[in-house]
Amino acid sequence: MYNFASVYIVLILKKIMKTLVIIPSRLSAQRLPGKPLMKIKGLSIISHVFKKAEEANIGEVIVAAEDQEIVDDVKQNGGQAILTKNKHKTGTDRIYEVFQKINSSDIDLIMNLQGDEPLMNVEDIRNLNKKMIESSSKLGTLASEVQDRTLLENPNVVKVLTKENLNQTNFPEAENFMRNISQEKENIYHHLGIYSYNKDTLEKFVSLNQSTNEIKNKLEQLRALDNGIKINVALSKSSPIGVDTEEDFLAIKKIMEYKS
């Protein structure tokens, strides 16, 4: 017999789940130092990302900044930012410090939106949050179709191998993440710089030591896979590039200025 009462309770619980968006940012990036404060259309990259996260309207947005200059910039542009320690090994460790500082016990999901993704699609941010709530996933991320095969050869573009072909409705598990691909494979996608953790999984993740794979490939998501934490992947509608190099910045600047 179908239990409508149980289904109703599940739906109510899903509706009241609360998300917090935290954007890690620092000036000392190895490939492009100072990039969070580089300006496009008169606004810093980090403030562009903050406003995009706010536009998604899935929860409160805070920048987790290693540098006071970033805090000042975000606040001057109407955003929220908290200064963190400067010795974190990864962005996830940085967002966890902010999560602890705000001491918000009613938060269920913490979204880690990378501070160098000003072209991230608002609908994709909302879709990842929706998928996390509907599936009760512990950790989720986004990936897009590879439109340009040269991206597969670019080590600055992170790739994800999924267990199933991605489509607009499914949320399959990631099998691996990589910078370089030795041979063509099916189910390879362009991984985007965004994660959503449930609270317990975030706490577990930051308690783990960095894995050998993570250090070798400079991909913190491998720490999760190496410790048995499943990562679900949703298909994004867009395929934005992040700002990793001067060339990336100029390309994104051109796109954003053209759109205006």
Side-chain angles (χ1 to χ4, degrees):
M1 183 177 177
Y2 198 75
N3 192 330
F4 287 100
S6 297
V7 172
Y8 179 75
I9 291 170
V10 169
L11 290 173
I12 291 296
L13 288 172
K14 287 180 176 179
K15 283 182 180 179
I16 63 174
M17 287 187 73
K18 190 172 180 180
T19 299
L20 172 67
V21 182
I22 307 180
I23 306 169
S25 186
R26 63 192 181 103
L27 292 176
S28 57
Q30 290 183 348
R31 283 170 287 190
L32 189 59
K35 67 180 177 180
L37 298 183
M38 296 173 75
K39 292 189 176 182
I40 300 174
K41 295 166 58 179
L43 191 67
S44 67
I45 289 174
I46 186 61
S47 286
H48 274 293
V49 176
F50 181 91
K51 290 182 182 299
K52 190 64 69 75
E54 269 203 325
E55 187 182 346
N57 195 31
I58 61 170
E60 185 180 8
V61 183
I62 302 173
V63 172
E66 181 180 290
D67 310 277
Q68 186 62 47
E69 296 96 319
I70 295 175
V71 173
D72 294 342
D73 180 88
V74 172
K75 289 184 175 180
Q76 286 168 8
N77 288 295
Q80 293 189 82
I82 293 176
L83 189 66
T84 68
K85 298 174 183 176
N86 61 4
K87 295 182 179 179
H88 289 300
K89 293 180 179 178
T90 70
T92 306
D93 298 303
R94 189 175 310 287
I95 70 166
Y96 185 65
E97 180 187 341
V98 167
F99 178 64
Q100 285 184 305
K101 279 184 174 180
I102 64 172
N103 193 28
S104 186
S105 59
D106 61 340
I107 295 297
D108 302 288
L109 296 174
I110 301 93
M111 184 172 286
N112 176 352
L113 177 59
Q114 303 301 290
D116 58 2
E117 295 268 3
L119 293 178
M120 183 68 72
N121 186 294
V122 169
E123 288 302 320
D124 288 331
I125 296 172
R126 291 172 182 157
N127 183 48
L128 176 58
N129 190 60
K130 181 172 177 283
K131 284 273 200 300
M132 289 292 295
I133 294 171
E134 290 177 344
S135 67
S136 299
S137 173
K138 294 182 178 180
L139 173 54
T141 190
L142 290 175
S144 64
E145 300 276 3
V146 177
Q147 305 293 343
D148 182 354
R149 306 309 292 180
T150 61
L151 293 179
L152 295 176
E153 302 166 4
N154 185 346
N156 291 326
V157 176
V158 180
K159 278 71 70 172
V160 57
L161 172 65
T162 56
K163 292 185 178 180
E164 302 172 27
N165 269 314
L166 293 182
N167 59 53
Q168 292 296 330
T169 60
N170 67 356
F171 199 32
E173 291 177 29
E175 199 165 289
N176 197 10
F177 293 84
M178 63 215 78
R179 292 188 179 277
N180 301 297
I181 296 177
S182 57
Q183 61 183 25
E184 290 274 344
K185 294 182 180 180
E186 291 185 359
N187 303 346
I188 290 283
Y189 299 89
H190 171 198
H191 180 233
L192 306 187
I194 183 170
Y195 301 92
S196 183
Y197 297 81
N198 71 23
K199 182 165 55 177
D200 292 342
T201 301
L202 176 60
E203 290 173 347
K204 178 180 178 180
F205 181 89
V206 296
S207 72
L208 298 167
N209 292 325
Q210 286 187 290
S211 69
T212 302
N213 271 339
E214 175 187 1
I215 295 169
K216 177 183 177 182
N217 294 283
K218 297 182 179 179
L219 295 173
E220 60 180 309
Q221 58 269 49
L222 293 176
R223 189 193 319 178
L225 295 186
D226 290 342
N227 286 279
I229 300 174
K230 296 177 182 179
I231 305 176
N232 294 95
V233 185
L235 181 65
S236 67
K237 293 181 179 179
S238 63
S239 184
I241 55 173
V243 182
D244 285 311
T245 64
E246 181 73 23
E247 291 75 18
D248 293 335
F249 170 70
L250 293 174
I252 289 174
K253 186 172 184 288
K254 186 175 181 180
I255 291 169
M256 293 178 70
E257 289 177 345
Y258 177 77
K259 283 182 177 181
S260 65

